[in-house]
Amino acid sequence: MQEADFRELLKSLRERGSELDDVEVKDARGGTPSKLWESLSAVANKSGGGTIIFGLSDEGFLPTGLTKIDDLQRGISNTCAEMEPPIRVQFSTFKEDRKQILVASIPPCPREKRPCYYKPKGLSAGSLVRVGDADRRMTEYEIASCIAERGQPEEDKRPVQDVSRESLNRILIQEYFDEVRKRRPRAAHLNLPIDELRKIYRIDVSKDGELVPSLAGFMMFNDYPQADFPSLCITVVRYSGLMRSESSGGADILDNQKVEGPIPVMLSEALAAIERNMRRRTLKTGLLSENLSEYPELAVREVLVNAVAHRDYSPGALGSQIQVKMYSDGIVIQSPGGLHGPVTVDSLDEVGIHSTRNVQLMRLFEERGIGENRGSGIRTIILQLIGAHLPPPLFEDGGTYFRVTFSNESLLNEKTVDWLNRFAGFPINDRQRLALAFLKRNERITNKEYSRLTQCDSRRATAELGELRDSGILNQKGSRRWAIYEISPFGLQGTLPPAAQKLKRFPKMVYSIIQNDGPIRALTIAEECGISKAYVKLIVRDLLKSKLIETMEKNPRSPKQAYRVKSFHKTERRSGEN
């Protein structure tokens, strides 16, 4: 790790007040922590790996002072050697307040070797996973999933026990290949007999020398596969309350449907149940308006198809359903099994990055036109939502589940548009306006969220977020990949006197805090801005000279000194608001 990266990481930790999902902190004044292996396993099993910092306190992330750093480094290396597979750690040392700090960079465990575990504890007890800013022991299902992910899963072409190939509906199979022939009239292999095509498409597979249905074939072409697999279904539930109300017991069930049958029937009936429970909304576009579904139907269909095509069909997940939960403020679609292969939540919508868990099932989907296997579906979902003035979806990979959440609250409702109009005189573009609308609702935004929302690359996102920061509308906490952006006090107010609008970033920030919260002391301003008290005093001195603010105490050196805007500026601000 470079010095600049460490400084920015330390700044991010202190500003957020907590560890990050890929960063752990250890006091380590007593030497190598006794349960260091837990952190090593959890971080190594995380996509992208992470960082463990030794020599910082849990509260405030202040340097504790490492004494025998060579012994500590040796102890960490010895523990890394006891992991399976061994961890090739990289060390960096830095100083903070003249005290040494040791940083260990932990590479991600290769997918074909996961999970990384502590050999003395064994695979079951020695495997951990990082969830948020905490570590927890992996479940047996999570361990089995990691082992299955070492290669290409083949659960979808697994022979179904105790059923014959006659259990499949030949009419459905014939109709399927008739449709495929229409879509691919020049495909010579489609002229083969149906029984041959059933083997080519892995609808039938060999078991003990006999042909029997594969799981993919059984789910696609059996009239009622739930007789053998009761949980391979879709549940659609409509609640009366908000998304957060279900966990608190404050939501009543308005509609509850269990959707069963072969996969094409399930998808059709589940979509019909969702559409039946959708409300209509009005989207205003200038002087015109149009009535739309609560959510874009194409986006909902894409998520539902992905949930069926990419869910985990391994024995450990066969007891779990695909769940659709509809609330007054959003819809949640959750399927068993996390993301497969090299795909992460951050890379979901990147062109060329995709991986298929159920290859045979996805082939049956693609040939029939039910779904595509080119990695463009997520981008379609995002564009559909943004086109309807809805925020991008929230993706969550829980390891044992994958969850997609849509919000139905328009980014550009009347109240937000009124607020955005306060920035009419600022040189901001449509992408930045959309990001501000997102921030008004979500309070914070990252570079990746900006890119996903505005469909621009990371470099442009960084530049345009920086422009909003430099204009004083946003505050930035942390930097580089740890940066988050929030609306500043000035941004919330949306207006400043003409003289204050000419101020640079930090003076404008200090002025807006005094404007909104004054009378206020320098120390409090420094804490809100994330800058030193000494720098605040320099800014305050210049603001006093410019007669933009005034002191509350006659003695300029009073320890109780506080500041407020000059009374005529307050009057100007209030009249401007009216």
Side-chain angles (χ1 to χ4, degrees):
M1 177 176 284
Q2 300 296 318
E3 176 84 18
D5 292 328
F6 169 71
R7 295 297 165 196
E8 294 302 335
L9 176 54
L10 184 58
K11 180 182 177 183
S12 294
L13 289 169
R14 288 171 174 171
E15 288 179 341
R16 295 191 185 199
S18 66
E19 294 178 319
L20 308 177
D21 63 351
D22 60 349
V23 179
E24 290 200 38
V25 169
K26 304 289 183 185
D27 186 304
R29 279 177 292 185
T32 307
S34 59
K35 292 188 176 182
L36 174 62
W37 61 270
E38 294 183 347
S39 298
L40 291 172
S41 173
V43 174
N45 286 324
K46 181 174 177 58
S47 176
T51 304
I52 304 177
I53 304 177
F54 299 87
L56 290 179
S57 62
D58 293 333
E59 294 187 8
F61 303 107
L62 302 174
T64 58
L66 301 176
T67 52
K68 299 180 179 179
I69 198 164
D70 290 338
D71 290 346
L72 174 60
Q73 192 165 319
R74 197 160 31 247
I76 296 169
S77 297
N78 290 339
T79 306
C80 287
E82 292 186 279
M83 307 300 293
E84 181 59 42
I87 294 174
R88 308 302 180 193
V89 63
Q90 292 185 339
F91 293 109
S92 306
T93 57
F94 305 98
K95 283 192 175 182
E96 175 75 3
D97 293 339
R98 299 182 180 180
K99 295 178 180 179
Q100 282 193 311
I101 293 173
L102 179 65
V103 176
S105 298
I106 311 299
C109 180
R111 183 167 66 94
E112 64 273 12
K113 295 182 179 181
R114 288 182 188 172
C116 178
Y117 66 94
Y118 186 50
K119 286 189 288 187
K121 288 289 184 178
L123 178 63
S124 180
S127 301
L128 282 87
V129 63
R130 185 105 174 129
V131 181
D133 60 355
D135 303 332
R136 67 163 174 80
R137 192 169 134 183
M138 277 188 171
T139 64
E140 293 298 327
Y141 169 60
E142 287 173 324
I143 293 173
S145 296
C146 282
I147 294 172
E149 291 285 320
R150 291 176 178 176
Q152 175 60 51
E154 297 186 342
E155 300 297 340
D156 55 335
K157 66 176 184 180
R158 172 171 52 86
V160 178
Q161 300 291 333
D162 303 323
V163 296
S164 68
R165 61 196 300 268
E166 282 69 35
S167 66
L168 302 188
N169 188 320
R170 295 187 67 86
I171 296 176
L172 291 179
I173 296 174
Q174 183 67 54
E175 290 175 347
Y176 174 85
F177 284 112
D178 287 346
E179 182 64 30
V180 174
R181 289 187 184 104
K182 291 179 183 178
R183 294 174 60 86
R184 302 182 60 192
R186 297 184 181 180
H189 74 278
L190 291 172
N191 295 320
L192 293 170
I194 289 292
D195 284 350
E196 288 299 313
L197 291 175
R198 287 175 63 157
K199 288 187 287 184
I200 291 173
Y201 281 77
R202 300 295 193 274
I203 296 171
D204 296 330
V205 292
S206 179
K207 179 180 181 293
D208 299 330
E210 294 185 8
L211 289 175
V212 298
S214 67
L215 181 61
F218 192 70
M219 291 301 300
M220 284 288 289
F221 302 114
N222 183 271
D223 289 327
Y224 187 60
Q226 288 75 26
D228 292 88
F229 302 101
S231 293
L232 295 187
C233 62
I234 302 172
T235 59
V236 181
V237 183
R238 175 82 200 197
Y239 294 93
S240 62
L242 303 174
M243 283 187 278
R244 64 175 179 269
S245 62
E246 184 197 0
S247 59
S248 61
D252 295 326
I253 295 177
L254 302 179
D255 190 17
N256 187 355
Q257 184 170 342
K258 184 178 182 181
V259 183
E260 298 176 314
I263 285 176
V265 173
M266 274 204 305
L267 287 171
S268 178
E269 293 190 0
L271 285 167
I274 293 170
E275 290 172 9
R276 185 178 66 249
N277 281 284
M278 276 193 202
R279 297 175 298 185
R280 306 296 292 181
R281 64 188 182 89
T282 300
L283 176 62
K284 292 185 177 181
T285 54
L287 298 176
L288 304 177
S289 62
E290 57 180 317
N291 290 320
L292 301 174
S293 296
E294 191 172 7
Y295 312 99
E297 294 174 12
L298 180 57
V300 174
R301 183 185 185 281
E302 195 72 40
V303 174
L304 199 61
V305 169
N306 284 344
V308 174
H310 299 296
R311 68 155 286 167
D312 186 356
Y313 287 97
S314 69
L318 290 181
S320 301
Q321 309 163 340
I322 292 172
Q323 301 175 11
V324 180
K325 298 181 179 181
M326 304 182 71
Y327 303 89
S328 59
D329 61 339
I331 181 172
V332 179
I333 300 177
Q334 179 173 309
S335 57
L339 291 172
H340 168 70
V343 182
T344 66
V345 167
D346 285 342
S347 67
L348 268 173
D349 56 331
E350 293 181 15
V351 177
I353 301 180
H354 71 283
S355 184
T356 304
R357 173 183 273 114
N358 304 302
V359 175
Q360 300 305 326
L361 182 60
M362 196 66 227
R363 181 187 185 186
L364 291 173
F365 275 34
E366 185 180 17
E367 292 276 16
R368 181 64 185 272
I370 297 174
E372 54 84 29
N373 193 27
R374 296 174 181 82
S376 61
I378 298 298
R379 187 175 177 85
T380 297
I381 294 166
I382 294 171
L383 290 174
Q384 285 285 311
L385 290 172
I386 294 173
H389 291 180
L390 296 175
L394 173 64
F395 300 112
E396 298 174 78
D397 181 10
T400 58
Y401 65 86
F402 185 71
R403 182 185 297 147
V404 183
T405 302
F406 291 173
S407 168
N408 60 17
E409 184 178 340
S410 174
L411 286 175
L412 298 175
N413 56 40
E414 188 173 346
K415 185 177 180 181
T416 301
V417 171
D418 287 344
W419 175 72
L420 287 173
N421 287 337
R422 298 180 180 183
F423 304 106
F426 286 75
I428 60 178
N429 60 37
D430 288 342
R431 287 187 299 272
Q432 291 168 318
R433 285 174 60 83
L434 190 60
L436 288 174
F438 178 88
L439 273 161
K440 189 72 165 63
R441 181 179 179 277
N442 295 275
E443 297 182 356
R444 62 186 350 182
I445 193 170
T446 64
N447 178 289
K448 180 60 185 178
E449 288 170 331
Y450 188 98
S451 298
R452 187 166 280 169
L453 175 69
T454 62
Q455 293 296 292
C456 70
D457 60 34
S458 177
R459 184 175 297 181
R460 182 176 292 276
T462 299
E464 293 186 352
L465 284 166
E467 290 171 1
L468 291 172
R469 174 203 62 206
D470 294 341
S471 70
I473 299 174
L474 298 186
N475 285 344
Q476 178 180 338
K477 291 185 176 180
S479 65
R480 303 191 185 188
R481 68 187 183 93
W482 300 289
I484 59 173
Y485 299 84
E486 300 173 343
I487 301 176
S488 69
F490 157 57
L492 287 172
Q493 188 61 40
T495 182
L496 283 177
Q501 289 181 19
K502 299 176 182 178
L503 297 172
K504 293 185 178 180
R505 177 190 170 196
F506 282 115
K508 185 179 289 184
M509 190 185 304
V510 170
Y511 180 88
S512 63
I513 289 174
I514 297 172
Q515 180 188 51
N516 292 318
D517 301 334
I520 187 170
R521 298 171 67 180
L523 179 60
T524 306
I525 297 171
E527 291 172 349
E528 289 194 28
C529 290
I531 57 180
S532 69
K533 183 180 176 182
Y535 186 25
V536 168
K537 286 190 172 182
L538 288 174
I539 294 172
V540 164
R541 182 193 64 188
D542 292 340
L543 293 176
L544 288 169
K545 286 182 179 179
S546 301
K547 297 183 179 180
L548 285 166
I549 65 172
E550 60 188 6
T551 59
M552 297 298 295
E553 302 291 330
K554 291 183 178 180
N555 180 3
R557 298 181 180 273
S558 171
K560 297 181 180 180
Q561 188 61 271
Y563 307 92
R564 67 181 180 188
V565 298
K566 297 277 277 186
S567 56
F568 64 89
H569 289 301
K570 287 186 178 181
T571 303
E572 181 181 4
R573 176 170 61 89
R574 287 172 184 152
S575 63
E577 290 175 355
N578 295 329

